[in-house]
Amino acid sequence: MSSQLNAYQECHHRVIQHLQAIYPDHNHALLADNLIEAMCHGGVCAVPEARTNNWSQQDLILITYGNSVEKVGEPPLRTLNTFLQQHMSSVISGVHILPFFPYSSDDGFSVIDYTNVNPELGDWHDIEAIAKQFDLMSDLVINHCSSQSKWFTQFKQGLAPGKEYFVTVPADTDTSLVVRPRTSPLLQAVDTPQGQQHVWCTFSFDQVDLNFANPDLLFEMVRIIALYLDKGVKIFRLDAVAFLWKQLGSPCINLPQTHEVIRLIRTLVEFRTAAAILITETNIPNQENLSYFGNANEAHCIYNFSLPPLLLHTMMTGSCQHLKQWLMSMPPAQSGTAYFNFIASHDGIGLRPVEGLLETAEIDELAEVMQGFGGAVSWRTMTDGSVRPYEINIALTDAMQGTVNGVDDLLVERFICTHAIMLALEGIPGIYIHSFLGTRNDYAKMAQTGSNRAINRHNWQLETLTQQLEDQGVASQIFSNMKRLCELRQQQPAFNPNATQFTLHLGDQIFAFWRQSMRRDQSIFCLNNVTDRPQRVALTQINLVANERWRDIISGTVYEDTREEIELEPYQSVWLSNWDGAGVVMKRPVGQGEPFANQPLNDPDERRRHG
């Protein structure tokens, strides 16, 4: 009993500190009591162990809609669960089911009711069944809700509590500094018993921003988080959280109060269950995105938003110069935090995260090439009224069909190389279901919905999908190769999300880096030919230990002579490890090999390392 009391007191103390920063003039003690009661039923909580990594190299998250795989006469969530258990259980640890709640637009991100499952998908029993088999990741659509929600209906009727849950400003308010991800007007006029009011809509008129300056709304959101935990959710994706706090005269993005709300949620969640994980979804420039780690006290993971466009640019141009420079600049994630790596998503490939990393002309060329491959481009309005490309909308399979020189016959090789890079990098990988399935652009759905993003949100019929994965076409090749890479990754301690990483310098045609396990017993040199031509790499260019033998995990080839060269075929990846297939360090017989292990791995001023 005393330990529970001490835990409650510690939680209460931390929550009050957060609340003092968010709501300086509020009754902090009373609000802290209410929040802890809502999160930790009956106030029962436990002090979390600081800086714990709740992940390993065996973790991989599949990203999917609840109805990405369907079967006539069966709830889609049940069909999805069957498909995952039959085809994916050996390669994924968790599944991110994109918003599965009743909604009015944006394929789920305009939530009508946070507390129920969309009946067109199934019910809470279906969600809980998936959570029993996989680590379940759920969206917390925290910045806004649907204009058809109960709360907004109350707002329009002047009724509590909804009438205080939304951001309103006078129509003539100067909002020129506000950062926007859309071209639609920011303010929407709404008739209420108090007269016409103008509500804040960062994304669309159907997605009305919530007012977190009202602590009662924060309390309601904490109750929703507690409900999701009760239903088996382990990982929370905080959707569009960068826009959460509004302060006139500012850009209304990445404000200090936003960061403090995330820290508060982390504190509450960790005292409820130490295994829970918060991931921030902040599609913004790289340095701003990194700030959501805080001091290892904010997001457990951040979406590595710069990776998709940089990888795409690398594959399109055959040069890893920008990707390599970016990788060297990235700080190692502190213990208790990790990068969430991905290449494709339900939205598209965001371009804001490469602002400052790619030149404007390079971004424009990338968008133009993707349009040539059948993709679309979404735009955003700048503060001066001009528009810039915000996002590329295309199925990754189609994005990989060629280079800046046009379409070629290396789609599968390029696609697999891209994922071999992502799977080997520091961080937890997340793979969109349509990348596993080799899905192509869905022009019919894009035309039907009028949304560019629908091009990469195909709905498969289970029977059709099963047939496609069993034939010998592109989709089948992608599926089998992807699964094999994921299974190989799971077996390598050097691919732990927090294991050491060095950037190697082997020219712009070979993207290379070194991973070392946290126990420092396994090394893997990851060599990736990012061009459509063969490339040669001398093993003397990398820091191989002279008395160990080296084996390519992917092909199984063993390299006996560390003085030889490796010829990499177009888009070939090599994971060169000192472990054999059974996880044992391979030693070289005495007298064999030339000692060159004391060569510097990189220029000390250019390398990046952590352990």
Side-chain angles (χ1 to χ4, degrees):
M1 180 63 70
S2 61
S3 63
Q4 289 185 2
L5 178 61
N6 291 337
Y8 182 89
Q9 292 172 337
E10 176 64 22
C11 182
H12 195 267
H13 171 69
R14 294 191 198 180
V15 169
I16 283 180
Q17 289 182 315
H18 297 307
L19 294 174
Q20 288 171 338
I22 303 168
Y23 308 112
D25 301 323
H26 201 76
N27 185 335
H28 305 120
L30 177 60
L31 181 55
D33 284 336
N34 292 338
L35 292 174
I36 297 171
E37 173 68 24
M39 177 63 71
C40 307
H41 303 308
V44 178
C45 48
V47 178
E49 189 174 334
R51 298 178 183 265
T52 300
N53 295 333
N54 293 320
W55 44 77
S56 74
Q57 68 274 11
Q58 296 183 343
D59 285 301
L60 187 152
I61 306 298
L62 178 80
I63 305 166
T64 180
Y65 279 101
N67 62 351
S68 290
V69 184
E70 299 176 310
K71 181 180 178 182
V72 175
E74 184 173 75
L77 285 170
R78 203 166 303 165
T79 306
L80 175 66
N81 194 10
T82 298
F83 177 80
L84 295 180
Q85 293 194 55
Q86 290 180 350
H87 296 279
M88 306 299 300
S89 60
S90 66
V91 296
I92 68 171
S93 61
V95 55
H96 171 200
I97 305 177
L98 291 155
F100 47 81
F101 317 103
Y103 71 97
S104 54
S105 64
D106 199 16
D107 278 353
F109 286 93
S110 185
V111 178
I112 294 176
D113 182 358
Y114 288 92
T115 63
N116 282 301
V117 175
N118 181 355
E120 295 181 3
L121 298 176
D123 55 29
W124 278 120
H125 294 295
D126 298 310
I127 291 294
E128 290 173 305
I130 293 174
K132 289 178 181 177
Q133 302 295 328
F134 305 96
D135 292 336
L136 179 60
M137 179 170 166
S138 171
D139 288 275
L140 184 67
V141 185
I142 195 169
N143 178 73
H144 51 263
C145 71
S146 169
S147 64
Q148 298 180 32
S149 66
K150 179 180 179 180
W151 290 343
F152 196 66
T153 298
Q154 291 172 337
F155 170 83
K156 291 186 293 184
Q157 296 172 346
L159 301 175
K163 69 175 182 178
E164 305 294 342
Y165 280 6
F166 298 92
V167 179
T168 61
V169 296
D172 59 354
T173 300
D174 181 6
T175 60
S176 59
L177 293 178
V178 176
V179 171
R180 297 294 315 286
R182 298 290 186 271
T183 57
S184 59
L186 177 64
L187 303 179
Q188 168 74 352
V190 178
D191 292 327
T192 74
Q194 290 74 40
Q196 189 177 75
Q197 298 192 59
H198 291 81
V199 294
W200 194 290
C201 304
T202 297
F203 291 91
S204 77
F205 290 161
D206 190 43
Q207 295 168 298
V208 191
D209 284 43
L210 294 164
N211 180 22
F212 277 86
N214 180 355
D216 292 338
L217 174 66
L218 173 68
F219 175 75
E220 288 296 335
M221 198 58 68
V222 168
R223 289 179 60 187
I224 289 165
I225 296 171
L227 170 67
Y228 295 176
L229 287 167
D230 291 342
K231 299 299 185 181
V233 174
K234 177 182 177 181
I235 309 169
F236 293 86
R237 176 185 182 271
L238 304 186
D239 176 65
V241 70
F243 301 94
L244 182 137
W245 199 270
K246 315 299 187 289
Q247 182 175 309
L248 294 179
S250 79
C252 295
I253 188 172
N254 307 323
L255 294 181
Q257 295 92 334
T258 295
H259 287 278
E260 198 66 48
V261 169
I262 297 171
R263 288 191 281 268
L264 168 61
I265 292 174
R266 173 162 176 169
T267 294
L268 289 167
V269 166
E270 285 190 331
F271 272 85
R272 161 71 185 269
T273 173
I277 296 170
L278 300 185
I279 301 182
T280 48
E281 189 268 335
T282 48
N283 191 357
I284 51 180
N286 193 55
Q287 290 302 313
E288 297 174 33
N289 190 33
L290 289 169
S291 70
Y292 283 86
F293 275 141
N295 184 25
N297 62 347
E298 204 162 320
H300 295 90
C301 305
I302 63 171
Y303 269 77
N304 215 345
F305 272 109
S306 296
L307 180 60
L310 283 174
L311 259 179
L312 183 62
H313 180 268
T314 296
M315 293 299 171
M316 293 305 102
T317 63
S319 171
C320 65
Q321 178 186 2
H322 294 301
L323 182 63
K324 186 167 54 176
Q325 290 176 343
W326 165 78
L327 190 65
M328 288 189 295
S329 74
M330 293 293 281
Q334 298 183 55
S335 184
T337 67
Y339 292 105
F340 187 73
N341 295 330
F342 71 109
I343 305 173
S345 76
H346 62 287
D347 281 346
I349 299 171
L351 296 174
R352 285 212 69 205
V354 286
E355 292 176 4
L357 301 176
L358 296 179
E359 298 293 334
T360 299
E362 291 173 315
I363 295 174
D364 291 342
E365 180 187 39
L366 189 59
E368 183 179 345
V369 171
M370 291 300 103
Q371 286 177 307
F373 291 167
V377 174
S378 297
W379 305 81
R380 72 183 184 99
T381 302
M382 309 295 286
T383 54
D384 62 1
S386 63
V387 295
R388 288 289 304 149
Y390 173 72
E391 178 181 87
I392 296 169
N393 305 111
I394 191 170
L396 190 63
T397 312
D398 282 286
M400 291 290 124
Q401 63 184 296
T403 68
V404 292
N405 298 318
V407 174
D408 57 33
D409 59 357
L410 293 169
L411 185 159
V412 174
E413 291 84 353
R414 189 178 294 112
F415 191 99
I416 297 303
C417 178
T418 305
H419 284 87
I421 292 171
M422 189 266 284
L423 288 168
L425 284 171
E426 171 192 348
I428 302 168
I431 300 181
Y432 190 36
I433 190 169
H434 294 301
S435 295
F436 266 115
L437 304 180
T439 309
R440 306 304 290 257
N441 289 336
D442 191 334
Y443 299 113
K445 188 171 184 178
M446 183 170 68
Q448 177 187 358
T449 62
S451 169
N452 286 350
R453 288 177 167 178
I455 197 172
N456 195 25
R457 297 178 179 180
H458 184 69
N459 302 95
W460 280 103
Q461 289 299 312
L462 180 60
E463 183 178 355
T464 304
L465 175 59
T466 302
Q467 291 174 352
Q468 178 158 311
L469 297 181
E470 291 175 352
D471 68 21
Q472 300 302 311
V474 168
S476 177
Q477 295 176 52
I478 287 175
F479 189 59
S480 59
N481 278 284
M482 288 281 289
K483 288 184 66 175
R484 182 171 181 270
L485 275 181
C486 294
E487 289 169 347
L488 289 173
R489 180 187 188 277
Q490 292 174 335
Q491 303 166 27
Q492 318 307 324
F495 288 157
N496 183 289
N498 293 89
T500 300
Q501 178 171 286
F502 277 101
T503 306
L504 305 181
H505 300 275
L506 302 178
D508 291 342
Q509 288 71 49
I510 304 293
F511 181 58
F513 50 96
W514 173 58
R515 303 297 308 278
Q516 184 184 55
S517 62
M518 300 179 79
R519 292 176 56 183
R520 301 191 177 184
D521 55 345
Q522 185 190 29
S523 287
I524 301 179
F525 291 85
C526 304
L527 313 177
N528 305 276
N529 180 0
V530 297
T531 76
D532 56 6
R533 299 180 181 276
Q535 303 290 332
R536 300 187 72 85
V537 177
L539 292 182
T540 52
Q541 292 180 266
I542 54 181
N543 197 34
L544 300 182
V545 176
N547 67 343
E548 294 178 353
R549 299 163 68 214
W550 296 85
R551 170 179 172 268
D552 175 19
I553 296 168
I554 298 175
S555 70
T557 302
V558 175
Y559 295 90
E560 299 286 355
D561 187 349
T562 52
R563 295 166 294 185
E564 66 180 292
E565 287 188 331
I566 299 177
E567 180 168 309
L568 298 177
E569 295 299 320
Y571 303 109
Q572 182 182 353
S573 296
V574 167
W575 290 347
L576 201 60
S577 173
N578 60 339
W579 278 26
D580 65 14
V584 177
V585 175
M586 300 185 294
K587 293 295 184 180
R588 186 183 306 281
V590 176
Q592 291 189 18
E594 293 295 323
F596 53 87
N598 56 356
Q599 286 186 194
L601 183 64
N602 289 294
D603 184 322
D605 294 330
E606 293 184 336
R607 72 185 184 182
R608 183 179 75 82
R609 177 180 182 178
H610 71 280

